[in-house]
Amino acid sequence: MSNSFGKIFQVTSFGESHGPSIGVVIDGCPAGLKIDIDAIAQDLDRRKPGQGAHTTPRNETDAFEILSGIHNGLTTGAPLCLVIWNEDVDSSEYDKRRFTPRPGHADYTAHIKYGGFEDYRGGGRFSARITAGFVMAGAVAKQLLQTIGVAIAARIVEIGGVTDPDKMNLRIEEALKEGDTVGGVIEGSALGLPVGLGEPVFDNLDGELAKALFALPAVKGVEFGSGFDAARLMGSQNNDAFTFENEKIISKTNNAGGILGGLSSGMPLIARVSFKPIASISKSQETIDLKTGKQITLETKGRFDPCPIPRALPLVEAMMAIVLCDFSLRAQKISLVI
Amino acid sequence: MSNSFGKIFQVTSFGESHGPSIGVVIDGCPAGLKIDIDAIAQDLDRRKPGQGAHTTPRNETDAFEILSGIHNGLTTGAPLCLVIWNEDVDSSEYDKRRFTPRPGHADYTAHIKYGGFEDYRGGGRFSARITAGFVMAGAVAKQLLQTIGVAIAARIVEIGGVTDPDKMNLRIEEALKEGDTVGGVIEGSALGLPVGLGEPVFDNLDGELAKALFALPAVKGVEFGSGFDAARLMGSQNNDAFTFENEKIISKTNNAGGILGGLSSGMPLIARVSFKPIASISKSQETIDLKTGKQITLETKGRFDPCPIPRALPLVEAMMAIVLCDFSLRAQKISLVI
Amino acid sequence: MSNSFGKIFQVTSFGESHGPSIGVVIDGCPAGLKIDIDAIAQDLDRRKPGQGAHTTPRNETDAFEILSGIHNGLTTGAPLCLVIWNEDVDSSEYDKRRFTPRPGHADYTAHIKYGGFEDYRGGGRFSARITAGFVMAGAVAKQLLQTIGVAIAARIVEIGGVTDPDKMNLRIEEALKEGDTVGGVIEGSALGLPVGLGEPVFDNLDGELAKALFALPAVKGVEFGSGFDAARLMGSQNNDAFTFENEKIISKTNNAGGILGGLSSGMPLIARVSFKPIASISKSQETIDLKTGKQITLETKGRFDPCPIPRALPLVEAMMAIVLCDFSLRAQKISLVI
Amino acid sequence: MSNSFGKIFQVTSFGESHGPSIGVVIDGCPAGLKIDIDAIAQDLDRRKPGQGAHTTPRNETDAFEILSGIHNGLTTGAPLCLVIWNEDVDSSEYDKRRFTPRPGHADYTAHIKYGGFEDYRGGGRFSARITAGFVMAGAVAKQLLQTIGVAIAARIVEIGGVTDPDKMNLRIEEALKEGDTVGGVIEGSALGLPVGLGEPVFDNLDGELAKALFALPAVKGVEFGSGFDAARLMGSQNNDAFTFENEKIISKTNNAGGILGGLSSGMPLIARVSFKPIASISKSQETIDLKTGKQITLETKGRFDPCPIPRALPLVEAMMAIVLCDFSLRAQKISLVI
């Protein structure tokens, strides 16, 4: 495993779904940043199951504790460790189906890679629950970015093929009734970026953002600006003409999504992320039994989250913020003592 | 800049479009690999301008030289350095338009980031020419992967909105006539992968591949398996049921694109990459003059490559191979002496 | 700050002397390792103040908690997080002398680097207390190395200039009476190493060990084998002749300290580490007041540890074990599932 | 192998003793630095064999070529690649004794690690010749450091036990007559450092310098300030009292060698490096034959360098400069465009 991300602003994730805790170490945060505890709690709340009418069975309170790195409410330059204690959960269901990997989950690949020693309970290290740690790191990163006037926001652009916000809930309810799930597309944007974030030719802004976003469970695609549509446009359509606006250089269009040559252009950064539908469904599914070597039908009981998209908004923001903090520090756009 | 990629199999890129050379250092290649020089040359040939009827003016011969790391035709465990000498080119055109950034290119962002010291000639470090170095590294990586039975191939799935291979050339010719360009989509696949390549939660197979692919100029989107379509499918549709085939575990469908939980599943790895149309067009474009602060119209003469997609096939393969080598070594699937 | 060490077996440290906790994340430990909790506790005990007759005032119990990465007593492949909770301590003394940096401590350099935001209480992040985290990581690393037959041990070779073990305690008592402190030299050794650990030319075994050992507070020098004496020997004296012993290749002498060309030779690895005397002394010392800009005399009350050397034995072992684990994994000498 | 060093200012080494070239890629050098070609050549000259009366047989001219990263004599922000072409050398001697590892050299460990595929000619990748690449990188680093007023110098403090400079040459001549070699100690110092370089707790200034210095062949020990003597001093003797000098904070003594808590203190940085005598001697030595499994006596003809110390001065400076550049960039003490 490799659970650290970032070169200067470095985030290290730990914890499992049914272990004692979920946590994160944030290293490289400059000293002197006032930490807004409420803002962290708010982002955790946005990530919590049960955002809309469609709840998951687990009632996550997600109260977090800061184990290090803060003195008098300010960062000290030392690593922050933030932890959420997992409440006692019943893992017996997972013990039973331990050798029958769920389709669409990491059960099978993790089992092979870790030789059966993986913590399989609740998906273990592959559970979406670990993103609570990402959210805490992202909330700190967002606060650090605010000091240089950078704001990050995510919005839902599509759920289960529906792009009209009014009809998205209906789509989710439909899926819920069928014991099924739907995915969607989230668009993350960052405003106020300085020109030149990114470190070509390999640590490009788009590449690093994509890598961070693929660390979110269920992500199957990432695009910037005109993205996959760019493949259908002519050069003359896709190129963004430069012009001046209030003596500032901007482009008339933003097909680049704010990234030129792997570097931020100063235009809004636009990333779109495709999430597959959650793999846990009530419908019966075919899988195999790793012990007996036989084909079986998997029946999973309980009530599942029919759509993760609303809860994933702070996740997309978190990953973008972590990457942008790292690049802002690398490009000396954030001073080390703030 | 950050010009190294990979943790164990590490590729370092150097060189500029109009400088003395383009090159690459490959570190971490196990000892004892027989290097097939012709295979490197072949991939360079596939990348060369002028693949079809549509040539770029520059006649790149791309003869390469191995500066280190080989003895008696075998790798020694030491870093390989491979270099292509740039032939003398006329940079006067670039001197003239140095302060008028071309839309869609990195001219503007590079100028700001590097304070005007960037090598602007021919796009300098941001030129697609530097991918010749990637191709050489990729060709070595492909040979290393062959030792464990992994094969990589890329194919064109779309050019300028056209998916019928017979009509793609027509689409390119149309663009050429208009002095315009078209992009496209390339699908890269890898067969024969062991289960479990990838190092979650941050160095996922999909994330690392995406990062590598975004290092290619003009890439605007990357997706795996059902990708952006996954957002429109139900869980029951998108989940890939497990089954046995000749006593081997496979999945009946491959919407996952061979990746589950950031790990290779043993199914074919399928990545699709969206390339925007090349930004250099003959049509006049609006831009600004950085010195005078005035809006200007840019007229670019010469003959341009109307579509980079055919030449980009070995690039996609190269980036995939580099990532897969690194993960194969990290997962001890390639032994250090081969 | 940069609080992660290691490429594959990666240790991330967090915590401060007077903050809530001291901890460590161990990433990259293979799955299936049975963790001996008692062995971790034992090494923490060896590190605890009050090893001999000479105690420090703080009574550290150092009970630790495992927050992640273990299931049924075995590692899962996921990161381990281990934490020691700091007990409530009185920081008032440190508040008072906050602007009068203690000679020999990091007070001054940390104050400048972190702009006064550093956690100054008890030395904060620069306190020797953070080595409790190193010791926990080292204890896990030692257990992992045992699976390939590698054993690590450290011994005191000198205290305050005294090399006769019988007289070392006297030397410490002398210092204690004078309100002064003494340093010493520890020799760490590793037996059972395979040939070829180390990754030249930059990640040499000796270089990486030295870097790890300099992470211990008070270390001022590191040498291997004949070390600084090598500078006084002739080549014919210092060269270790190769020979066979029971059909195994060994060297007749071991001036190399088990390292040739940055690689382990299979002979015992011998590292010697020089520790300066602890900077906290009862004697009055000259320093400055950063606020008033005046020279002052610092009088520090309380009872100090006159010599850290006995407690530093598990620290030297820990750093060696961490490095050797990382290289054993990199060289595929430890298999990923054990 | 792992041939890159540094996090932001990253040096990648390649090349072998008897291969086509020795080279280095310098990544992360800010744009706009005027490169003094003569200064690079001068440092290469200082490293060249035949500094005094005692020459090695190989006549190295060491003319170097810059393959990338410079435009109009200034750095561009892109990686610099510098290469020295190896002249044709006779490797037949090495072919003959390929399976009889020379005592004190890396022949044996490299043979085992790289499975016999290592380039054994002239020591291959383990030859001191590769330090020519380090010297080129160091020369660039020194020029970068000059822009912030940092100067680096190395001097010989001991040769073969002799500390009187007048008698050092005699000591070398003695060794030469006997067909033997002598080592020595070099002291490197850096002046003008800002306070706070270094990134605790693991990327300490001393630790990173030590790692870099151990990358030099023949180094067996590294110490800072009072170093190994610190183990023999009392705390009251070793602590450096703070005081003011011209309103600047200094310490009255410098036993710390300019490093407190892993951070530069603003006082002169003092590192001492112990070099063992060169392993190549004319005297006959015992070794083994890896093919026959028999003990043999090795007779090496030719004329060897009796003492590497004078040539190693620019090497010590180079490694120090590389580390200090990296930390100066990480601490934002060097601005990215200079």
Side-chain angles (χ1 to χ4, degrees):
Chain A
M1 281 212 157
S2 197
N3 294 283
S4 292
F5 187 89
K7 203 161 185 176
I8 298 297
F9 186 86
Q10 188 177 48
V11 171
T12 299
S13 162
F14 62 89
E16 299 88 19
S17 183
H18 288 208
S21 73
I22 291 291
V24 74
V25 178
I26 307 165
D27 196 11
C29 186
L33 178 70
K34 188 165 174 43
I35 294 297
D36 182 341
I37 300 287
D38 290 341
I40 302 175
Q42 251 164 43
D43 270 355
L44 283 175
D45 269 349
R46 293 170 66 207
R47 194 208 77 89
K48 238 172 35 179
Q51 293 305 313
H54 323 289
T55 57
T56 62
R58 184 166 179 177
N59 188 8
E60 299 181 6
T61 52
D62 285 355
F64 67 94
E65 210 172 316
I66 302 183
L67 301 198
S68 69
I70 307 271
H71 183 46
N72 289 336
L74 299 165
T75 58
T76 64
L80 285 81
C81 181
L82 293 91
V83 166
I84 296 169
W85 301 102
N86 287 334
E87 294 179 13
D88 279 340
V89 282
D90 180 13
S91 304
S92 55
E93 192 63 30
Y94 290 96
D95 288 328
K96 279 183 224 158
R97 64 175 191 226
R98 173 165 185 198
F99 296 101
T100 53
R102 295 166 295 167
H105 279 285
D107 298 355
Y108 169 62
T109 49
H111 186 82
I112 300 298
K113 185 174 182 77
Y114 303 108
F117 294 111
E118 73 284 359
D119 186 347
Y120 52 86
R121 301 166 304 161
R125 187 79 190 127
F126 293 86
S127 166
R129 181 149 174 75
I130 67 154
T131 60
F134 303 175
V135 166
M136 293 190 286
V140 171
K142 282 196 271 186
Q143 294 174 36
L144 186 53
L145 288 170
Q146 280 165 12
T147 67
I148 57 163
V150 173
I152 293 173
R155 66 186 186 94
I156 301 172
V157 292
E158 189 178 327
I159 283 187
V162 172
T163 55
D164 179 344
D166 295 338
K167 297 183 182 156
M168 289 176 182
N169 256 338
L170 284 172
R171 187 76 196 84
I172 298 176
E173 276 167 30
E174 263 175 42
L176 184 61
K177 273 182 212 152
E178 300 171 31
D180 217 328
T181 54
V182 281
V185 176
I186 289 178
E187 183 179 277
S189 57
L191 302 180
L193 292 176
V195 179
L197 297 190
E199 298 299 331
V201 298
F202 288 126
D203 291 359
N204 290 320
L205 180 52
D206 34 12
E208 205 72 7
L209 282 166
K211 178 176 168 178
L213 291 164
F214 276 110
L216 298 176
V219 169
K220 295 307 288 180
V222 172
E223 62 176 13
F224 299 92
S226 52
F228 273 87
D229 282 343
R232 287 129 213 166
L233 297 172
M234 312 288 290
S236 58
Q237 296 169 308
N238 192 62
N239 283 354
D240 302 308
F242 289 108
T243 188
F244 292 100
E245 191 182 64
N246 303 326
E247 297 185 0
K248 215 189 128 206
I249 298 167
I250 62 158
S251 62
K252 292 187 174 180
T253 49
N254 190 17
N255 287 318
I259 303 177
L260 277 173
L263 299 169
S264 62
S265 70
M267 292 295 289
L269 173 62
I270 307 293
R272 264 181 312 278
V273 188
S274 165
F275 290 82
K276 69 175 185 181
I278 277 187
S280 294
I281 57 176
S282 300
K283 289 186 168 177
S284 64
Q285 296 184 88
E286 286 180 90
T287 189
I288 51 170
D289 187 315
L290 292 165
K291 274 210 302 206
T292 63
K294 288 195 177 149
Q295 188 88 23
I296 63 156
T297 300
L298 194 69
E299 307 279 354
T300 334
K301 274 156 199 167
R303 199 158 164 242
F304 297 104
D305 191 345
C307 180
I309 303 303
R311 297 173 54 195
L313 292 171
L315 275 59
V316 168
E317 294 173 11
M319 301 322 281
M320 291 180 69
I322 289 166
V323 170
L324 290 168
C325 265
D326 195 37
F327 279 128
S328 296
L329 282 160
R330 287 169 75 171
Q332 304 187 343
K333 299 297 185 185
I334 294 176
S335 72
L336 285 185
V337 175
I338 61 173
Chain B
M1 281 214 158
S2 197
N3 294 284
S4 292
F5 187 88
K7 203 161 183 174
I8 299 297
F9 187 86
Q10 188 176 49
V11 171
T12 298
S13 160
F14 63 87
E16 298 85 21
S17 183
H18 289 208
S21 73
I22 292 290
V24 74
V25 178
I26 306 165
D27 196 10
C29 186
L33 179 70
K34 187 163 175 45
I35 294 297
D36 181 342
I37 300 287
D38 290 341
I40 303 175
Q42 250 163 41
D43 270 354
L44 283 174
D45 268 350
R46 291 169 68 207
R47 195 209 76 90
K48 238 173 33 179
Q51 293 305 313
H54 323 289
T55 56
T56 62
R58 185 166 179 175
N59 188 10
E60 299 181 8
T61 53
D62 286 352
F64 67 96
E65 208 171 318
I66 301 182
L67 301 197
S68 68
I70 307 269
H71 182 47
N72 289 336
L74 299 165
T75 58
T76 64
L80 286 80
C81 181
L82 294 92
V83 166
I84 296 169
W85 301 102
N86 288 332
E87 293 178 15
D88 279 339
V89 281
D90 180 14
S91 305
S92 55
E93 191 64 29
Y94 291 94
D95 288 328
K96 278 182 224 158
R97 62 176 192 226
R98 173 165 184 198
F99 296 100
T100 54
R102 295 166 296 167
H105 279 284
D107 297 355
Y108 169 62
T109 50
H111 185 82
I112 300 298
K113 184 173 183 79
Y114 303 107
F117 295 112
E118 74 283 358
D119 187 346
Y120 52 86
R121 302 167 302 161
R125 187 75 190 131
F126 293 86
S127 165
R129 179 148 175 77
I130 68 156
T131 61
F134 303 174
V135 166
M136 293 189 286
V140 171
K142 281 195 272 185
Q143 295 175 34
L144 186 53
L145 288 170
Q146 281 166 9
T147 67
I148 57 163
V150 173
I152 293 173
R155 65 187 187 92
I156 301 172
V157 292
E158 188 178 327
I159 283 187
V162 172
T163 55
D164 178 345
D166 293 338
K167 297 180 181 158
M168 289 177 181
N169 256 338
L170 284 173
R171 186 75 197 86
I172 297 176
E173 275 168 31
E174 264 175 39
L176 185 62
K177 273 182 210 150
E178 299 171 32
D180 217 329
T181 54
V182 281
V185 177
I186 289 177
E187 183 179 275
S189 57
L191 301 180
L193 291 177
V195 179
L197 296 190
E199 298 298 331
V201 299
F202 287 125
D203 290 0
N204 290 319
L205 180 52
D206 34 12
E208 206 71 8
L209 282 166
K211 179 176 166 177
L213 290 164
F214 276 110
L216 299 177
V219 170
K220 295 307 286 180
V222 172
E223 62 176 13
F224 299 92
S226 52
F228 273 87
D229 281 343
R232 285 130 214 167
L233 296 172
M234 311 289 289
S236 59
Q237 296 170 308
N238 192 62
N239 282 354
D240 301 308
F242 289 109
T243 189
F244 292 100
E245 192 181 65
N246 303 327
E247 299 185 0
K248 214 188 131 207
I249 297 166
I250 63 157
S251 60
K252 292 188 174 180
T253 50
N254 189 19
N255 287 317
I259 302 176
L260 277 173
L263 298 168
S264 62
S265 70
M267 292 294 291
L269 173 63
I270 307 292
R272 266 182 309 278
V273 189
S274 164
F275 289 81
K276 68 174 186 181
I278 278 185
S280 294
I281 56 177
S282 299
K283 288 185 169 177
S284 65
Q285 298 183 87
E286 284 180 273
T287 189
I288 51 171
D289 188 314
L290 292 165
K291 274 211 302 207
T292 63
K294 288 196 179 147
Q295 188 88 24
I296 63 155
T297 298
L298 195 69
E299 309 278 356
T300 333
K301 275 156 197 165
R303 197 157 165 245
F304 297 105
D305 190 345
C307 180
I309 303 302
R311 298 173 52 196
L313 292 171
L315 276 59
V316 168
E317 294 173 11
M319 301 322 280
M320 290 181 70
I322 290 166
V323 170
L324 290 169
C325 266
D326 194 35
F327 279 128
S328 296
L329 282 160
R330 287 169 75 172
Q332 304 187 344
K333 299 296 185 187
I334 294 176
S335 70
L336 286 184
V337 174
I338 61 174
Chain C
M1 280 213 159
S2 198
N3 294 282
S4 293
F5 187 89
K7 204 161 184 175
I8 298 298
F9 187 86
Q10 188 177 49
V11 171
T12 299
S13 161
F14 62 87
E16 299 87 20
S17 183
H18 289 209
S21 73
I22 292 291
V24 74
V25 178
I26 306 165
D27 196 11
C29 185
L33 178 69
K34 187 164 176 46
I35 294 296
D36 182 342
I37 300 287
D38 290 341
I40 302 175
Q42 251 163 43
D43 269 356
L44 283 175
D45 269 350
R46 293 169 67 205
R47 195 209 76 90
K48 238 173 34 180
Q51 293 306 313
H54 324 289
T55 58
T56 63
R58 184 167 180 176
N59 188 10
E60 300 181 5
T61 53
D62 286 354
F64 67 95
E65 209 172 317
I66 302 182
L67 300 197
S68 70
I70 307 270
H71 182 46
N72 289 336
L74 299 165
T75 58
T76 64
L80 286 81
C81 181
L82 293 91
V83 165
I84 295 169
W85 301 101
N86 288 332
E87 294 178 13
D88 279 341
V89 282
D90 180 13
S91 304
S92 56
E93 190 64 29
Y94 290 95
D95 288 328
K96 278 184 223 159
R97 65 175 191 225
R98 176 167 183 196
F99 296 101
T100 53
R102 295 167 295 167
H105 279 285
D107 297 356
Y108 169 63
T109 49
H111 186 82
I112 300 299
K113 184 173 183 77
Y114 303 107
F117 294 111
E118 74 283 358
D119 187 347
Y120 52 86
R121 301 168 303 160
R125 187 78 189 129
F126 293 86
S127 165
R129 181 149 175 75
I130 68 155
T131 59
F134 304 174
V135 166
M136 292 189 287
V140 171
K142 281 195 271 186
Q143 295 174 35
L144 186 52
L145 288 170
Q146 280 165 11
T147 67
I148 56 163
V150 172
I152 294 173
R155 65 185 187 95
I156 302 172
V157 293
E158 188 177 327
I159 282 188
V162 172
T163 54
D164 178 344
D166 295 338
K167 297 183 181 156
M168 289 176 181
N169 256 339
L170 284 173
R171 187 75 196 85
I172 298 176
E173 276 168 30
E174 263 175 41
L176 184 62
K177 273 182 211 152
E178 299 172 32
D180 217 328
T181 54
V182 282
V185 176
I186 289 178
E187 184 180 274
S189 56
L191 302 180
L193 292 177
V195 179
L197 297 189
E199 298 298 332
V201 298
F202 288 126
D203 291 0
N204 290 320
L205 180 52
D206 35 12
E208 205 71 7
L209 282 166
K211 179 177 167 178
L213 291 164
F214 275 111
L216 299 176
V219 169
K220 296 306 288 181
V222 172
E223 62 176 12
F224 298 93
S226 53
F228 273 88
D229 281 344
R232 286 130 213 165
L233 296 172
M234 311 290 289
S236 58
Q237 296 169 307
N238 192 62
N239 283 354
D240 301 309
F242 289 109
T243 188
F244 292 99
E245 191 182 62
N246 304 326
E247 297 185 1
K248 216 189 128 206
I249 297 166
I250 63 157
S251 61
K252 292 188 176 182
T253 50
N254 190 17
N255 287 318
I259 303 176
L260 277 173
L263 298 169
S264 61
S265 70
M267 292 295 290
L269 173 63
I270 307 292
R272 264 181 311 278
V273 188
S274 164
F275 290 81
K276 69 175 185 180
I278 277 185
S280 293
I281 56 175
S282 300
K283 288 185 168 176
S284 64
Q285 297 183 87
E286 285 180 273
T287 188
I288 51 170
D289 187 315
L290 292 165
K291 274 210 302 208
T292 63
K294 287 194 179 150
Q295 188 88 23
I296 62 154
T297 299
L298 194 69
E299 308 278 355
T300 332
K301 276 155 198 168
R303 199 159 163 242
F304 297 105
D305 191 345
C307 180
I309 303 302
R311 298 174 54 195
L313 292 171
L315 275 59
V316 168
E317 294 173 11
M319 302 322 281
M320 291 179 70
I322 290 166
V323 170
L324 291 169
C325 266
D326 195 37
F327 279 128
S328 296
L329 282 160
R330 288 169 75 171
Q332 304 187 342
K333 299 297 185 186
I334 294 177
S335 71
L336 285 185
V337 175
I338 62 172
Chain D
M1 280 214 159
S2 198
N3 295 283
S4 292
F5 187 89
K7 202 161 184 175
I8 299 298
F9 186 87
Q10 188 176 49
V11 171
T12 298
S13 161
F14 62 87
E16 298 85 21
S17 182
H18 288 209
S21 73
I22 292 291
V24 74
V25 178
I26 305 166
D27 196 10
C29 186
L33 178 70
K34 187 164 175 46
I35 294 297
D36 181 342
I37 300 287
D38 290 341
I40 302 175
Q42 251 163 43
D43 270 354
L44 283 174
D45 270 350
R46 292 170 67 207
R47 194 208 76 89
K48 239 175 32 180
Q51 293 304 313
H54 324 289
T55 57
T56 62
R58 185 165 179 175
N59 188 9
E60 300 181 6
T61 52
D62 286 352
F64 67 95
E65 208 171 318
I66 300 182
L67 300 197
S68 69
I70 307 268
H71 181 48
N72 289 336
L74 298 165
T75 57
T76 64
L80 286 81
C81 181
L82 293 91
V83 166
I84 296 169
W85 301 101
N86 287 333
E87 293 179 13
D88 279 339
V89 281
D90 179 13
S91 305
S92 56
E93 191 64 29
Y94 290 94
D95 288 328
K96 277 183 225 159
R97 65 175 190 228
R98 175 167 182 196
F99 297 100
T100 54
R102 295 166 295 167
H105 279 284
D107 297 355
Y108 169 62
T109 50
H111 186 82
I112 300 297
K113 185 175 183 78
Y114 302 108
F117 295 111
E118 75 282 358
D119 187 347
Y120 53 85
R121 301 167 302 162
R125 187 74 190 132
F126 293 86
S127 165
R129 180 147 175 77
I130 68 156
T131 60
F134 304 174
V135 165
M136 292 190 286
V140 171
K142 282 196 270 186
Q143 294 175 37
L144 186 53
L145 288 171
Q146 280 165 11
T147 66
I148 56 163
V150 173
I152 292 173
R155 66 185 186 93
I156 301 172
V157 292
E158 189 178 327
I159 283 188
V162 172
T163 54
D164 178 344
D166 295 338
K167 298 181 179 156
M168 289 175 180
N169 256 338
L170 285 173
R171 186 77 196 82
I172 298 175
E173 276 168 29
E174 263 175 40
L176 184 62
K177 271 182 211 150
E178 299 172 31
D180 217 328
T181 54
V182 281
V185 176
I186 289 178
E187 183 179 275
S189 57
L191 301 180
L193 292 176
V195 180
L197 297 189
E199 298 298 332
V201 298
F202 288 126
D203 291 0
N204 290 319
L205 180 51
D206 34 12
E208 206 71 8
L209 282 166
K211 179 177 167 177
L213 290 164
F214 275 109
L216 298 176
V219 169
K220 296 305 286 181
V222 172
E223 61 176 13
F224 299 93
S226 52
F228 273 87
D229 282 344
R232 285 130 214 166
L233 296 172
M234 311 289 289
S236 59
Q237 295 170 310
N238 191 62
N239 283 353
D240 301 309
F242 289 109
T243 189
F244 291 100
E245 191 182 66
N246 304 326
E247 298 185 1
K248 214 190 131 207
I249 297 166
I250 62 156
S251 60
K252 292 187 175 181
T253 50
N254 190 18
N255 286 318
I259 303 177
L260 276 173
L263 298 168
S264 62
S265 70
M267 293 294 290
L269 173 62
I270 307 292
R272 264 182 310 278
V273 189
S274 163
F275 290 81
K276 69 175 185 180
I278 277 186
S280 295
I281 56 176
S282 300
K283 289 185 168 178
S284 64
Q285 298 184 86
E286 284 179 273
T287 189
I288 52 172
D289 188 314
L290 292 165
K291 274 209 302 206
T292 63
K294 288 197 180 147
Q295 188 87 24
I296 63 153
T297 299
L298 194 70
E299 308 277 355
T300 333
K301 275 157 198 166
R303 197 158 165 244
F304 298 104
D305 191 346
C307 181
I309 304 301
R311 297 173 54 195
L313 292 171
L315 275 60
V316 168
E317 294 173 11
M319 301 322 280
M320 291 180 70
I322 290 167
V323 170
L324 290 168
C325 265
D326 194 36
F327 279 127
S328 296
L329 281 159
R330 287 169 75 172
Q332 304 187 343
K333 299 297 184 186
I334 294 176
S335 70
L336 286 184
V337 175
I338 61 174

